[in-house]
Amino acid sequence: LAKTTQPISMDSYEGQEVNITCSHNNIATNDYITWYQQFPSQGPRFIIQGYKTKVTNEVASLFIPADRKSSTLSLPRVSLSDTAVYYCLVGDMTRDDKIIFGKGTRLHILP
Amino acid sequence: NAGVTQTPKFRILKIGQSMTLQCTQDMNHNYMYWYRQDPGMGLKLIYYSVGAGITDKGEVPNGYNVSRSTTEDFPLRLELAAPSQTSVYFCASSYLGATGDRSGNTIYFGEGSWLTVV
């Protein structure tokens, strides 16, 4: 997996849009960008994956610029239940057997 | 659909005791993983397996052993429990097809096993 850098923690308020940026300067041509969400006392769960431009699903959007050296996870109108740790993983899942999670970004939503 | 099932959910061990954390998945996934997570910290990969009969070390394998005799099961063995092994343990699995879809390999996690060594 490529080395990634994310903020350690972020605070936001209910109803706001939250953007978490992940830097991955050494991303390779075949690498995909995947985000996982981990609620307290639970295992992580997949939320979104992309290769380039923009991906949107019912949970989040993922913005990837043309150079793909960073990506931004966007959570629209967050609620208290979005308080979680968010992990950014970058890699070629056909080659990278050893899936290592970094420290992630601890998002705290305030009322 | 059970997904990834871990047992036990909670366990207290005395120093020097041994135990096995059980993990089974019913999704016919070829890849399986064991992670540990200390309070307030990120996940650390202990061991992983790319298929039955094949296992390899992760970031923090010392003090643990694994086996993968079937596709479904991936037990984690602690031989001589130490206080440093107090943690939450997560088992996970994923599928990678023979043709290698690079977009795939979503990882599914179990609910975790809370282990305290005293």
Side-chain angles (χ1 to χ4, degrees), chain A residues 8 23 25 49 54 62 68 75 87 89 93 97 99:
Chain A
I8 293 294
S23 297
N25 290 321
Q49 184 181 69
K54 177 184 173 183
L62 179 60
R68 304 202 325 126
L75 304 171
Y87 298 94
L89 274 69
M93 299 306 181
D97 297 333
I99 307 300

Side-chain angles (χ1 to χ4, degrees), chain A residues 29-32 34 36 38-46 49 85 87 89 91-104 106, chain B residues 9 31 33 35 37 39-45 48 50 57-59 90 96 99-112 114:
Chain A
T29 303
N30 294 332
D31 288 349
Y32 275 73
T34 310
Y36 286 81
Q38 185 181 23
F39 295 120
S41 302
Q42 294 185 26
R45 65 166 190 160
F46 169 92
Q49 184 181 69
V85 179
Y87 298 94
L89 274 69
D92 175 356
M93 299 306 181
T94 64
R95 182 196 66 216
D96 298 324
D97 297 333
K98 196 185 263 191
I99 307 300
I100 292 175
F101 285 70
K103 292 183 173 60
R106 192 170 296 272
Chain B
K9 193 166 179 67
Y31 284 47
Y33 316 84
Y35 294 89
Q37 186 172 38
M41 305 296 284
L43 295 156
K44 291 288 189 182
L45 180 64
Y48 66 101
V50 302
K57 296 177 180 178
E59 303 171 271
F90 290 102
L96 184 64
T99 54
D101 177 3
R102 294 188 176 89
S103 69
N105 205 16
T106 298
I107 302 169
Y108 296 84
F109 282 80
E111 294 187 343
W114 272 252

Side-chain angles (χ1 to χ4, degrees), chain A:
Chain A
L1 297 183
K3 180 175 165 52
T4 59
T5 303
Q6 308 173 229
I8 293 294
S9 66
M10 295 177 65
D11 289 339
S12 187
Y13 292 92
E14 279 193 295
Q16 299 289 310
E17 177 184 76
V18 171
N19 295 311
I20 306 174
T21 298
C22 179
S23 297
H24 29 82
N25 290 321
N26 295 326
I27 189 168
T29 303
N30 294 332
D31 288 349
Y32 275 73
I33 300 156
T34 310
W35 286 80
Y36 286 81
Q37 174 189 56
Q38 185 181 23
F39 295 120
S41 302
Q42 294 185 26
R45 65 166 190 160
F46 169 92
I47 49 173
I48 200 164
Q49 184 181 69
Y51 183 80
K52 61 181 179 181
T53 63
K54 177 184 173 183
V55 180
T56 297
N57 62 22
E58 66 277 6
V59 176
S61 294
L62 179 60
F63 297 93
I64 305 166
D67 67 5
R68 304 202 325 126
K69 293 185 183 299
S70 66
S71 56
T72 299
L73 176 72
S74 181
L75 304 171
R77 296 182 300 282
V78 293
S79 65
L80 295 176
S81 63
D82 291 311
T83 293
V85 179
Y86 293 82
Y87 298 94
C88 168
L89 274 69
V90 176
D92 175 356
M93 299 306 181
T94 64
R95 182 196 66 216
D96 298 324
D97 297 333
K98 196 185 263 191
I99 307 300
I100 292 175
F101 285 70
K103 292 183 173 60
T105 296
R106 192 170 296 272
L107 177 64
H108 187 208
I109 305 301
L110 304 166

Side-chain angles (χ1 to χ4, degrees), chain B residues 1-9 21-27 32 34 72-75 90-93 108-113:
Chain B
N1 231 358
V4 179
T5 303
Q6 296 181 228
T7 56
K9 193 166 179 67
L21 297 176
Q22 301 291 345
C23 176
T24 188
Q25 52 90 10
D26 62 359
M27 298 175 282
M32 295 189 75
W34 273 107
E72 296 79 19
D73 300 309
F74 191 41
F90 290 102
C91 180
S93 73
Y108 296 84
F109 282 80
E111 294 187 343
S113 295

